[in-house]
Amino acid sequence: MTQSIPKDAAARRAVAPVICYPVETLPQPDLALYLRARTDLQKTSEVLVPPREAATFHVPAGHFFRISSYEGSQVGDLNLWNANELNERFYSGKTRALHGTHITTGQQMWSSFPYLRPMATITHDTLDWYGIDDFGGAVHDVIGTRCDPYTHHLLKGGQYHHCCHSNLTRALAAHLDVPLSEAEPHVHDVLNVFMCTGFTRDTGQYFMKASPVRPGDYLEFVAEIDLLGALSACPGGDCSSEHSSDTAECHPLLVEVFEPSESFLSDRQASLPNGYDRSHGT
Ligand SMILES: [Zn+2]
C-alpha cells in the first residue's frame, strides 16, 4: 500500500533548516600565529607514497606536514592517529558535523571519543579557490569512507588488494610490526585529500569527479598532537572513473614534514582532551 501524501506536505517541506552544530562557540585555532609560523619551516623528513600503496609518517605536535600532488592528478586517503595512543584517531563523521562535507584552511581534523579534540589544523590549501561547483562537488571530503575490498566484493565480486583500506592496513601493519589482522581495526574513515566529491541532487548519491589537483598543489597542516599518519595513493588516480581496480592512471603523492621555530613551539596552545567528565549521568 502506498503511503498517501499528507495535505500539508508542501508546508512541512517548506520548513527552513537549522544548522545542527552552530560553530560560533567552537574554540578557534590561532590561525594568524600558524600562518606566521609556516613562513619559517625547516624540512625534517619526506616520504613518497607509491601509486596504489600507502606509507606512514610521524609528525610531532606543533610540526607541520604537507601532502603534495606529484607528477600527475592523484587523490589520497589520509588516516591519523595519536602516535602515543592508537585508539585516538581521526573522526570523519564529527569533523563533517562540525565543519561540513569538505574542509579547507582554518578547519580542523577532530579525534574520536572520548578525546574529541583537534588532531590537525589545515594551514594552507592551494585548491581553496575551487569552492562548490555546479554539480555540488568540492575538494577534500569527509563524506566518503575509503575504497575497500569488502564493498568491491559486494558490488562486483573478485578480490582486489590495492584499495585504500588494504593499502593503509598493510602500511600500518608494517609500521607497527604486527599481523594484518591486528592493524586492520585501526584503519578508519579518511580525509579524502584532493578528491572532488558531492551528493547528486536528484538521488542523493555519493559522486566523485576528476580531481582539479595538479602537480605542485598541496594541502598543509599543523599537527595539534603527536601524530602517526598513513596516506594511501588511491587506485582511483584522479577518481574520474573508478577506484577499485588497476585501470586508472595513478601517481605518487609526496608527504613532507617540517619543523617550526622554537618560539612557535613554545607559543602554541596544546590541544587538550575534551572536558566532559564521562560519568554519563551515573
Ligand atoms: Zn581509495
Side-chain angles (χ1 to χ4, degrees):
M1 198 178 98
T2 41
Q3 196 78 26
S4 62
I5 298 172
K7 285 190 176 59
D8 63 347
R12 292 195 209 176
R13 288 193 179 111
V15 173
V18 295
I19 299 296
C20 292
Y21 291 102
V23 289
E24 284 73 20
T25 57
L26 188 66
Q28 294 298 310
D30 187 345
L31 200 59
L33 179 70
Y34 292 177
L35 296 184
R36 279 199 304 278
R38 67 180 296 275
T39 63
D40 182 19
L41 300 174
Q42 303 290 330
K43 184 149 88 172
T44 52
S45 64
E46 67 173 40
V47 59
L48 194 62
V49 184
R52 297 189 174 86
E53 294 289 348
T56 57
F57 55 95
H58 264 289
V59 193
H63 290 222
F64 287 66
F65 66 104
R66 197 178 283 174
I67 299 171
S68 296
S69 170
Y70 194 85
E71 292 180 0
S73 297
Q74 172 68 42
V75 311
D77 286 48
L78 177 66
N79 267 191
L80 293 180
W81 299 268
N82 177 339
N84 311 305
E85 172 50 84
L86 291 191
N87 287 324
E88 181 176 9
R89 59 194 197 183
F90 173 52
Y91 189 172
S92 163
K94 193 58 74 181
T95 299
R96 175 169 67 243
L98 289 170
H99 292 306
T101 53
H102 300 75
I103 59 175
T104 188
T105 308
Q107 295 180 320
Q108 301 185 296
M109 296 177 69
W110 293 80
S111 68
S112 51
F113 298 158
Y115 309 95
L116 192 64
R117 60 174 159 178
M119 301 183 86
T121 302
I122 298 178
T123 50
H124 197 77
D125 174 9
T126 63
L127 291 173
D128 64 358
W129 55 268
Y130 192 86
I132 301 176
D133 66 31
D134 291 345
F135 301 95
V139 187
H140 314 308
D141 86 63
V142 283
I143 51 179
T145 51
R146 69 269 190 188
C147 60
D148 72 273
Y150 303 101
T151 309
H152 176 70
H153 185 81
L154 182 70
L155 298 176
K156 295 191 173 171
Q159 308 288 332
Y160 183 69
H161 303 303
H162 286 267
C163 286
C164 291
H165 176 83
S166 298
N167 298 344
L168 293 166
T169 299
R170 288 194 311 277
L172 184 64
H175 176 84
L176 300 175
D177 193 21
V178 299
L180 292 170
S181 58
E182 202 173 308
E184 185 175 13
H186 290 294
V187 173
H188 50 275
D189 285 348
V190 301
L191 169 64
N192 277 308
V193 178
F194 304 141
M195 193 167 177
C196 187
T197 59
F199 294 109
T200 58
R201 290 281 186 264
D202 51 351
T203 61
Q205 285 174 291
Y206 182 47
F207 73 75
M208 60 184 192
K209 54 180 283 190
S211 172
V213 72
R214 297 293 180 268
D217 277 320
Y218 64 90
L219 190 62
E220 182 192 272
F221 310 79
V222 62
E224 298 286 355
I225 59 174
D226 288 340
L227 291 177
L228 170 63
L231 182 71
S232 169
C234 183
D238 70 355
C239 284
S240 56
S241 56
E242 59 180 81
H243 54 69
S244 295
S245 73
D246 284 338
T247 307
E249 184 180 330
C250 286
H251 303 278
L253 288 168
L254 179 65
V255 180
E256 298 165 288
V257 180
F258 301 88
E259 184 174 18
S261 67
E262 278 298 324
S263 62
F264 174 69
L265 290 173
S266 55
D267 288 352
R268 64 176 286 274
Q269 285 216 321
S271 178
L272 300 175
N274 190 272
Y276 175 59
D277 67 12
R278 303 189 68 193
S279 62
H280 303 288
T282 57

